[in-house]
Amino acid sequence: MKQTDLEYVLLIVMAFFLTPEGVKGQAYRMELGFLGGRSFYMGDANNKNLFENEHSSYGLLVRYNLDNRFALKANALVAGISGTTRGISSAYMNGIDINFNNQILDAGVQLEVNFYNYGAPDYKPGSSRVSPYILLGLGFTRYKADKSQVCANIPFGLGIKAKVAPRINLGCEWTFRKTFADDLDYVNNTGGFQLQDSVLGSDSWNKNKDWYSILMLYISYDLYGIGSKCFR
């Protein structure tokens, strides 16, 4: 390591330890962050295989901390989904081999419930710097079928987050989006055969409504410090 690099690292470490305790332990009302991960489709062309035909996903998140246990999180992200009937087309009436590869836009709000009181223990005794959580919410998906479409979705899942620095949070989250559409797997020029036809194929838990899942990592920065009375 070069001397200049070492000096830069030492300055960062010193800045952290010389930060006043009131700042290091401060609670914050909001977070703004970036997310990235992998997405995959589950529907008529894939009703059981997790992480099949993965794609990149990325976006932004905003979290509003109601208190140490509850938070509202909004997200806007881009994700990819794809699938094929190759090898299983005989399961569909007049089925043929088709492949789809589509991009979707997702925006929604979820309620997060932490397992522990999340926060800085030196600011609020009894708080934990690490907490698993579950979430449930409502969102919207924009996608392209025969034309641009928008449908509602229900996101639900679980995650874990950690306060790794006074104003920095890292997290990992896995969610499923149950949509109210069956043509996320739309393909042009298939001779009339489409996976969204409800009379095709066999019954399954996700038949007639498409799903997609996102496994993501995120980093967020705390905003708007608050006093202790806001949590009492």
Side-chain angles (χ1 to χ4, degrees), residues 127-173:
S127 297
S128 173
R129 292 187 182 275
V130 179
S131 180
Y133 61 89
I134 56 175
L135 63 93
L136 177 67
L138 177 65
F140 296 92
T141 304
R142 183 177 181 180
Y143 62 100
K144 182 69 178 294
D146 56 336
K147 60 181 179 179
S148 183
Q149 307 261 22
V150 176
C151 72
N153 71 63
I154 299 177
F156 61 92
L158 50 83
I160 185 169
K161 54 188 174 183
K163 187 168 289 294
V164 297
R167 302 182 72 166
I168 303 296
N169 307 276
L170 293 180
C172 179
E173 184 178 290

Side-chain angles (χ1 to χ4, degrees), residues 6-25:
L6 180 59
E7 292 174 349
Y8 182 71
V9 172
L10 289 175
L11 284 174
I12 295 176
V13 174
M14 291 175 62
F16 174 77
F17 285 105
L18 292 177
T19 302
E21 287 300 316
V23 175
K24 291 202 294 182

Side-chain angles (χ1 to χ4, degrees), residues 159-205:
I160 185 169
K161 54 188 174 183
K163 187 168 289 294
V164 297
R167 302 182 72 166
I168 303 296
N169 307 276
L170 293 180
C172 179
E173 184 178 290
W174 187 15
T175 59
F176 284 86
R177 263 75 165 173
K178 173 181 171 54
T179 75
F180 291 86
D182 194 35
D183 54 354
L184 269 63
D185 43 25
Y186 181 87
V187 182
N188 286 321
N189 302 319
T190 58
F193 172 66
Q194 291 291 342
L195 286 169
Q196 70 263 29
D197 192 333
S198 61
V199 302
L200 302 179
S202 56
D203 291 336
S204 64
W205 62 273

Side-chain angles (χ1 to χ4, degrees), residues 36-201:
R38 307 294 288 175
S39 57
F40 62 92
Y41 153 93
M42 299 197 76
D44 296 320
N46 173 34
N47 56 39
K48 61 181 180 180
N49 297 321
L50 299 176
F51 299 100
E52 184 171 86
N53 299 314
E54 299 175 35
H55 291 263
S56 297
S57 60
Y58 53 90
L60 300 172
L61 69 86
V62 178
R63 179 181 281 119
Y64 183 83
N65 298 304
L66 299 172
D67 57 27
N68 293 62
R69 282 293 183 103
F70 297 91
L72 291 174
K73 182 175 87 267
N75 69 260
L77 61 89
V78 178
I81 57 172
S82 65
T84 180
T85 61
R86 192 175 301 277
I88 60 171
S89 59
S90 60
Y92 302 88
M93 185 182 302
N94 301 319
I96 60 174
D97 289 342
I98 61 173
N99 301 280
F100 68 92
N101 189 340
N102 299 326
Q103 187 178 78
I104 56 178
L105 301 178
D106 178 285
V109 177
Q110 303 101 43
L111 174 67
E112 293 180 350
V113 181
N114 297 321
F115 284 22
Y116 307 123
N117 289 325
Y118 182 68
D122 50 356
Y123 169 72
K124 190 175 180 64
S127 297
S128 173
R129 292 187 182 275
V130 179
S131 180
Y133 61 89
I134 56 175
L135 63 93
L136 177 67
L138 177 65
F140 296 92
T141 304
R142 183 177 181 180
Y143 62 100
K144 182 69 178 294
D146 56 336
K147 60 181 179 179
S148 183
Q149 307 261 22
V150 176
C151 72
N153 71 63
I154 299 177
F156 61 92
L158 50 83
I160 185 169
K161 54 188 174 183
K163 187 168 289 294
V164 297
R167 302 182 72 166
I168 303 296
N169 307 276
L170 293 180
C172 179
E173 184 178 290
W174 187 15
T175 59
F176 284 86
R177 263 75 165 173
K178 173 181 171 54
T179 75
F180 291 86
D182 194 35
D183 54 354
L184 269 63
D185 43 25
Y186 181 87
V187 182
N188 286 321
N189 302 319
T190 58
F193 172 66
Q194 291 291 342
L195 286 169
Q196 70 263 29
D197 192 333
S198 61
V199 302
L200 302 179

